[in-house]
Amino acid sequence: MSSPSSKSSPPSAAPASALQQQMVALAGALAPAEGYNLTVLPDVRFLRSNRPLSRAPVLYDPGIVIVLQGRKRGFLGDEVYLYDAQHYLAVSVPVPFSMETDASAAEPLLAIYFRLDFNVAAELMLRLEEHGAPAHEAPRGLMSTPMDARLAQSVLRFLEVMRSPVEAAVLGPGLVREIYFRVLTGEQGGAMRAALTRQGQFGKVARAIRKIHACFDRPLDIGTLAREAGMSAPSFHAHFKAVTATSPMQYLKSTRLHQARLLMVRNSVTAALACTQVGYESPSQFSREFKRMFGRGPAEEAERMRKAFAMPDPLPHAEYVASH
């Protein structure tokens, strides 16, 4: 499903290169606070984490995660996705998975999150097709890919520009576009382009996923989602699981619970109100399923999130629910 994916323990980190040391120093200054640090670019955030995480449930918006220091591992079904200073993570459709991180106060995890601007990605993909670079690879929702030298240089220039609010506002969007280009033409760029153009059965599943994120607070069943995808219910169930490693109803439940957690943390709503706002009819069922997913009850988990991470407002014009 992605490369690399291994169940063995990761090797010890190699000594940081001079370029990597430069990027870490810049990222550390751009992410002074633990949690997400906002930038003048609405789709870009810098992350600092001073503590490890163990198998935390996450749901990313489509985008790119570039880790500059520390290590993250994502677990989806039998696949393990490593993203660290040598590998980045690309997400073409939101897929719930669990994540663990290596981080400490002495050596915090530092990363950049680029929420995908579909207009910029579509324009680049069109230009690539015009220049004879069609996407023949099988589409993928989640990809862990080695960081090559050209992408690393683009990221370094981006970090340097982001030190100045004026340069960030004027030059930053062009460098974000350059980073998109490097990812879309990288080792697994063809698979990402195929996913973003929503080809074949993958595209049908992607339509159903958008429906879930747009209507998670309403009654949805397998028949409704299968019709949205233009498939029979059995075919839809099989293809959905092939893309997301979970069933449509489990995906819907995960989306609702992630959104409930965000409502409690960002809007300070009660668990009872969050329960109704995400489409649950039974508060007791909501509490049971929430604790099963996050390992804590709703109120306890919301309090932990407030203390552990700065939680900025949602990204503007977000098409999907994200919780990471």
Side-chain angles (χ1 to χ4, degrees):
M1 192 170 189
S2 188
S3 176
S5 71
S6 169
K7 296 182 180 179
S8 61
S9 299
S12 299
S17 65
L19 183 146
Q20 186 182 342
Q21 290 174 353
Q22 284 181 272
M23 292 195 290
V24 168
L26 290 166
L30 291 164
E34 189 169 20
Y36 281 103
N37 294 259
L38 304 184
T39 74
V40 298
L41 303 179
D43 290 330
V44 179
R45 294 173 179 169
F46 292 102
L47 171 68
R48 173 187 290 264
S49 178
N50 296 336
R51 67 202 77 192
L53 287 176
S54 178
R55 296 292 182 124
V58 292
L59 180 60
Y60 282 117
D61 267 351
I64 303 157
V65 184
I66 295 178
V67 175
L68 305 165
Q69 178 173 270
R71 181 184 291 116
K72 292 191 176 193
R73 287 175 293 274
F75 302 89
L76 179 65
D78 294 330
E79 299 288 334
V80 181
Y81 297 82
L82 174 66
Y83 44 129
D84 57 9
Q86 287 77 46
H87 307 86
Y88 61 88
L89 186 76
V91 182
S92 54
V93 296
V95 178
F97 62 99
S98 61
M99 175 192 70
E100 64 184 28
T101 65
D102 297 337
S104 66
E107 191 169 311
L109 185 141
L110 298 169
I112 317 171
Y113 171 61
F114 299 88
R115 174 180 172 268
L116 193 67
D117 184 321
F118 285 94
N119 292 327
V120 174
E123 187 267 332
L124 283 170
M125 290 190 293
L126 182 62
R127 295 294 301 276
L128 287 168
E129 285 187 12
E130 289 173 352
H131 288 80
H136 294 306
E137 289 86 346
R140 293 175 180 169
L142 203 62
M143 289 150 279
S144 171
T145 307
M147 173 89 76
D148 62 34
R150 290 181 300 176
L151 177 57
Q153 290 289 345
S154 298
V155 172
L156 176 60
R157 289 197 299 276
F158 174 76
L159 289 167
E160 290 172 337
V161 159
M162 293 302 289
R163 293 181 298 176
S164 161
V166 173
E167 290 190 11
V170 176
L171 301 177
L175 286 165
V176 170
R177 187 176 184 276
E178 180 180 325
I179 288 168
Y180 280 21
F181 176 83
R182 298 298 180 203
V183 170
L184 291 171
T185 58
E187 185 175 308
Q188 297 190 87
M192 188 170 188
R193 298 201 308 274
L196 292 175
T197 54
R198 298 181 173 127
Q199 298 176 9
Q201 305 298 340
F202 187 100
K204 295 179 180 180
V205 169
R207 288 203 301 271
I209 288 174
R210 290 201 307 277
K211 178 75 171 181
I212 289 172
H213 285 267
C215 305
F216 61 82
D217 56 339
R218 305 174 204 169
L220 290 173
D221 56 29
I222 192 77
T224 300
L225 295 172
R227 285 192 294 274
E228 182 73 18
M231 299 182 187
S232 68
S235 176
F236 170 68
H237 190 281
H239 283 103
F240 192 99
K241 193 161 187 178
V243 171
T244 66
T246 190
S247 70
M249 292 298 98
Q250 283 293 116
Y251 187 100
L252 172 61
K253 180 172 72 174
S254 176
T255 301
R256 286 172 167 167
L257 293 173
H258 278 289
Q259 177 67 1
R261 182 170 70 164
L262 290 177
L263 286 170
M264 288 186 289
V265 173
R266 288 184 176 139
N267 301 345
S268 297
V269 305
T270 64
L273 184 56
C275 164
T276 60
Q277 288 185 347
V278 301
Y280 273 85
E281 295 180 356
S282 167
S284 60
Q285 180 187 4
F286 169 76
S287 294
R288 284 195 309 272
E289 294 183 349
F290 190 101
K291 188 170 185 178
R292 190 176 301 126
M293 171 171 283
F294 296 111
R296 298 176 180 84
E300 183 184 1
E301 172 64 5
E303 182 63 20
R304 183 194 72 84
M305 290 287 290
R306 290 189 198 99
K307 290 180 178 178
F309 291 100
M311 293 293 289
D313 292 333
L315 288 162
H317 314 301
E319 185 176 356
Y320 299 99
V321 171
S323 176
H324 49 85

